[in-house]
Amino acid sequence: AQKITQTQPGMFVQEKEAVTLDCTYDTSDPSYGLFWYKQPSSGEMIFLIYQGSYDQQNATEGRYSLNFQKARKSANLVISASQLGDSAMYFCAMRGGMEYGNKLVFGAGTILRVKS
Amino acid sequence: EAGVVQSPRYKIIEKKQPVAFWCNPISGHNTLYWYLQNLGQGPELLIRYENEEAVDDSQLPKDRFSAERLKGVDSTLKIQPAELGDSAVYLCASSPTRSPYNEQFFGPGTRLTVL
């Protein structure tokens, strides 16, 4: 079975500072993908960043980077230079290999609040 | 490029009434998903379509939920009859057949309230 754990129900960060959102995962499949999505109050899930299980380097997308530690089964999201518009719910998700189709398994999410 | 479109955005119904949600995926996306998101939780997959074929409906409560994707484009998710516990956000997503990540693109969701 696949499982995603996000242990931080909520986080605060000061504007312009960096913040790390934790995510650990569990799977027996050697081939998998890890995603981070942002869900603002409007409800739409916005894709942020992707890390493949065989990728050698940590993924980066603008102010977002993924700290991928395969041995520890963690895939933490780092947001640099936080902005007020980053306040939202953040979900970590995992997609398994062929056996699991393209099914995404989501964590419970972390609410991020950016303070001015 | 237009995103995933869902309607209605909000729906309030009495229990035991039927309800239907509509989704129009991004043009050219062959894979379509319906997710259920309860308050304070992550989305959970209900059903996945590859074109017009439902390839994973193992988590769809088939006694009251049904879905269809005629012609492999738009999709409708139906609940009949609705129960109080069905109050949630219903998200539709689509993904292209070929993409580097097979990332899923989500619509804004339909927030259902069952009274």
Side-chain angles (χ1 to χ4, degrees):
Chain A
Q2 298 178 294
K3 186 178 179 180
I4 292 283
T5 302
Q6 294 181 254
T7 58
Q8 305 156 314
M11 290 282 287
F12 283 96
V13 65
Q14 195 66 38
E15 193 178 9
K16 300 182 183 178
E17 293 186 350
V19 63
T20 297
L21 306 182
D22 294 342
C23 172
T24 58
Y25 60 91
D26 190 23
T27 181
S28 57
D29 195 332
S31 176
Y32 52 89
L34 295 159
F35 299 77
W36 277 92
Y37 281 85
K38 172 184 179 181
Q39 188 176 42
S41 56
S42 60
E44 189 167 343
M45 301 278 282
I46 302 168
F47 165 70
L48 296 178
I49 195 166
Y50 169 83
Q51 181 84 42
S53 59
Y54 296 118
D55 293 344
Q56 296 296 314
Q57 292 187 321
N58 287 343
T60 60
E61 288 287 348
R63 296 187 297 110
Y64 305 108
S65 60
L66 200 151
N67 184 1
F68 182 45
Q69 298 188 41
K70 195 170 183 177
R72 299 178 63 180
K73 293 189 174 181
S74 73
N76 298 341
L77 176 70
V78 180
I79 305 175
S80 62
S82 297
Q83 303 171 356
L84 295 177
D86 293 334
S87 293
M89 187 74 139
Y90 288 80
F91 290 98
C92 180
M94 175 169 59
R95 184 195 71 231
M98 289 293 290
E99 179 183 353
Y100 299 96
N102 200 24
K103 176 180 177 179
L104 282 179
V105 175
F106 286 83
T110 296
I111 298 175
L112 176 66
R113 288 289 177 255
V114 180
K115 301 183 291 184
S116 59
Chain B
E1 181 182 88
V4 176
V5 179
Q6 290 187 250
S7 69
R9 289 295 313 276
Y10 305 91
K11 188 73 175 179
I12 301 174
I13 60 171
E14 302 261 336
K15 63 180 180 182
K16 301 185 181 179
Q17 294 298 307
V19 65
F21 314 125
W22 175 79
C23 173
N24 180 243
I26 293 173
S27 177
H29 284 194
N30 296 329
T31 309
L32 183 146
Y33 314 79
W34 282 102
Y35 286 89
L36 165 70
Q37 185 177 21
N38 286 307
L39 186 64
Q41 298 181 23
E44 298 176 21
L45 181 69
L46 288 172
I47 189 168
R48 173 170 68 97
Y49 281 93
E50 293 289 346
N51 297 304
E52 63 272 12
E53 182 183 359
V55 296
D56 184 357
D57 63 355
S58 57
Q59 294 181 265
L60 188 73
K62 299 179 183 64
D63 56 336
R64 297 184 301 107
F65 286 66
S66 64
E68 61 182 13
R69 193 185 183 196
L70 301 175
K71 301 181 181 179
V73 181
D74 295 2
S75 178
T76 303
L77 177 68
K78 298 178 182 178
I79 308 175
Q80 183 171 9
E83 297 178 353
L84 295 177
D86 296 332
S87 294
V89 175
Y90 292 82
L91 294 165
C92 180
S94 68
S95 63
T97 302
R98 299 184 188 280
S99 73
Y101 311 143
N102 278 329
E103 70 270 31
Q104 297 178 22
F105 297 83
F106 285 79
T110 296
R111 183 177 297 275
L112 174 67
T113 301
V114 182
L115 303 176

